[in-house]
Structures are given as structure tokens and as C-alpha cells.
Amino acid sequence: MKESTNPVLRRLDALVGEWQVDVLGEDGVPVARSRSVFAWDGMLLVHHAEAEPPLPNTPPEWITHAPFPITAVIGLDDLSGQFSMMYTDARDVHRVYAMSMEGGVWKFWGQAGPEFHQRATGTFTPDGNVIHALIERSADGHHWETDFASTYTKVK
């Protein structure tokens, strides 16, 4: 399949590669770690994530309720210029999120249940090798609270 030359779709190139993802505790210290790989499959960007061995300070509930492995497929609707991300994980969770990638900021958001909304904002460092992400949740889609923060560090 040929590679797209669509400039909006090419924004996703910033994600391509292998990343170490650290979930941060309230003190900013990693409490869990995973490995994410983003790779093109034709004109779709496919994301696979696997858990790394638990860190000494990983909370037990994070180990027992871990979503890994995770798979997401990101595509572009060229009529609207909007991205969508289809997500699934080992907990038999299946979701579709709206997504954007502009000016060094990666966002996705959606309703994951009647009283469970999620949104995430990831900001790239100027060199593109680190993404600082904040994942938030809301019961009503209006009042948001931090779910967790994470740092993506490009490995290759």
C-alpha cells in the first residue's frame, strides 16, 4: 500500500517509533512502566503497548487491573480533517476516541461510559523525544480531575 502525502496525516509521524512510557505518581516518580510502539500500516497508524515488569513501588491494584496488551488504530477522515482512534485492551475494553495532533500537542477525548468521560493532552518537547501527558476523567463531561500523568520517552 502506498504512503500518504496528506499533510494532516503526516502530523502523526511525530508518534512513530518506540517509546518507554512511565506512569507518574503524585510525587512525579514513576510507579508503572510500559513499552509503546507506533508504526504505519499503510495509511493507518497502529499503536501496540505492553507492560514492563512492575517497578518496586507499583501499586498492587495497577498490576491486577493493568490493561496490557493495548492496541489502537489511528486514522484520518480527510473530509473533516479529524482523527479517530479505535482502542482495545486486555480487559475487553473497546472505545473510539476523537483525536488531534497540532503544534506539538497530541489530544484525545471521548465518552467511555454513561458516567465516564476521558481526555488526554500530551505535549512534545521541542526535540520531539519526550511527551508529557495528562490523562483526566469526568463523571459528567464538565468537571474534570486528574486520573494520572505519564511521560513518553522515545527509545528509537
Side-chain angles (χ1 to χ4, degrees):
M1 185 176 279
K2 80 176 209 174
E3 185 177 293
S4 177
T5 58
N6 183 317
V8 176
L9 192 61
R10 302 295 354 142
R11 291 179 196 163
L12 299 179
D13 285 339
L15 290 168
V16 172
E18 185 176 336
W19 300 81
Q20 175 180 296
V21 182
D22 289 322
V23 175
L24 307 176
E26 291 180 11
D27 57 1
V29 174
V31 295
R33 182 167 287 154
S34 65
R35 183 79 49 182
S36 284
V37 175
F38 291 83
W40 287 107
D41 185 351
M43 293 183 210
L44 298 171
L45 187 64
V46 179
H47 172 214
H48 293 286
E50 293 283 346
E52 293 282 309
L55 300 171
N57 59 332
T58 299
E61 63 273 12
W62 288 30
I63 298 168
T64 58
H65 299 319
F68 301 101
I70 293 170
T71 301
V73 178
I74 303 167
L76 174 69
D77 174 29
D78 41 328
L79 182 61
S80 69
Q82 297 296 307
F83 293 108
S84 293
M85 179 174 65
M86 296 178 64
Y87 168 97
T88 188
D89 68 32
R91 303 168 298 176
D92 202 22
V93 168
H94 308 274
R95 298 184 180 142
V96 178
Y97 293 99
M99 198 190 95
S100 66
M101 177 73 85
E102 287 187 61
V105 179
W106 170 35
K107 294 182 180 183
F108 60 89
W109 61 94
Q111 187 170 353
E115 296 181 359
F116 183 49
H117 302 257
Q118 278 185 308
R119 69 182 183 191
T121 302
T123 304
F124 287 80
T125 56
D127 65 5
N129 291 323
V130 176
I131 306 168
H132 298 285
L134 179 64
I135 294 76
E136 298 174 292
R137 65 177 180 250
S138 170
D140 60 10
H142 300 289
H143 301 91
W144 294 90
E145 61 185 51
T146 298
D147 197 358
F148 60 92
S150 60
T151 300
Y152 290 65
T153 304
K154 191 170 261 190
V155 176
K156 55 181 167 177

